[in-house]
Amino acid sequence: MTDFAKDPNGYPRLVQTPMNIEKLRRTLLCEKAAYLPKGAHRDISLPTGRAIELVIRLKVDESFQTDPAISGPEINRFEIAFANDAGEKLSVGYDVPSAQIWLDRSKLRGFDHPFYTGRFAAPVNTALYPDARMLDLHLFLDGCTFEIYANEHLETGTALIYPGKPLDMLRLKADGIGVTIDHFELYTLDKTMCRETL
């Protein structure tokens, strides 16, 4: 579904929301108010042959550079990675200092080639939120297609992926900063077409 919203300057913005997805959902995991400390990660097994939907809303801790031995900026980011035991990884996340969302498919089969674009980034419009440390993501992984919706569906993107093996592990990682996951929903989606899914 396509709709419009106004940005802080009063200009219209396109909002794209997946329609009728609720009818296809089969719950894997739903949680609220989980905390991932700085440097921690959490792994979740994913079923193969099923489309995956992830809905997550998070808030990162306040960022303070406290180590005087570090002369440059510290890495403060939250990463969501879909991976497999062959070392392949598709990641999306939020870089706090630059207030940017990234999508990185360069660690998947074929995308390490210099003529393929493996990485994308988009700024988070922090003026749309009461707290610039908050972010929401709505992700779909279905076979060779990955879709991302962010900032209450104001930012969208679609990427083709070709992993050599199914991406059967989800990793949540807090790198350099703690993250509160206010809302977390993980679903498999029923098929709408008779075809094999990675």
Side-chain angles (χ1 to χ4, degrees):
M1 178 177 75
T2 303
D3 202 354
F4 291 93
K6 289 188 177 180
D7 68 14
N9 299 314
Y11 295 108
R13 290 286 308 273
L14 190 64
V15 178
Q16 299 181 67
T17 307
M19 287 183 63
N20 301 322
I21 203 75
E22 297 83 6
K23 294 187 281 189
L24 304 175
R25 287 174 172 167
R26 297 291 174 262
T27 304
L28 281 178
L29 193 59
C30 288
E31 295 179 344
K32 291 185 178 180
Y35 184 71
L36 202 59
K38 171 182 176 179
H41 70 269
R42 179 181 176 192
D43 294 342
I44 301 167
S45 294
L46 298 175
T48 58
R50 302 292 299 275
I52 299 294
E53 177 189 12
L54 174 61
V55 182
I56 187 168
R57 187 171 56 246
L58 58 96
K59 183 177 181 179
V60 296
D61 290 347
E62 287 193 61
S63 176
F64 301 103
Q65 184 161 321
T66 56
D67 188 348
I70 299 175
S71 58
E74 290 189 62
I75 294 175
N76 295 318
R77 60 178 54 156
F78 176 71
E79 179 186 47
I80 300 167
F82 296 87
N84 60 29
D85 60 10
E88 292 183 290
K89 182 173 84 166
L90 167 69
S91 72
V92 60
Y94 180 47
D95 182 73
V96 180
S98 65
Q100 290 194 80
I101 303 167
W102 84 81
L103 169 64
D104 185 356
R105 58 183 178 171
S106 65
K107 293 177 177 64
L108 294 175
R109 179 183 64 174
F111 286 100
D112 56 351
H113 193 281
F115 295 113
Y116 284 128
T117 303
R119 298 180 179 96
F120 304 90
V124 174
N125 190 343
T126 54
L128 294 173
Y129 298 93
D131 190 330
R133 294 181 290 124
M134 297 178 70
L135 178 71
D136 64 88
L137 295 169
H138 193 171
L139 310 175
F140 294 90
L141 176 63
D142 184 7
C144 62
T145 305
F146 183 74
E147 292 190 353
I148 177 171
Y149 299 82
N151 299 340
E152 298 180 4
H153 297 88
L154 288 171
E155 309 293 341
T156 65
T158 301
L160 294 176
I161 60 170
Y162 305 102
K165 294 178 66 177
L167 301 174
D168 57 4
M169 191 267 287
L170 176 67
R171 171 168 282 187
L172 309 176
K173 183 179 178 187
D175 196 358
I177 198 163
V179 177
T180 298
I181 300 172
D182 292 326
H183 192 78
F184 181 89
E185 299 175 25
L186 183 63
Y187 303 100
T188 59
L189 300 176
D190 289 342
K191 293 186 179 189
T192 58
M193 298 171 58
C194 293
R195 62 178 176 83
E196 190 172 328
T197 303
L198 279 178

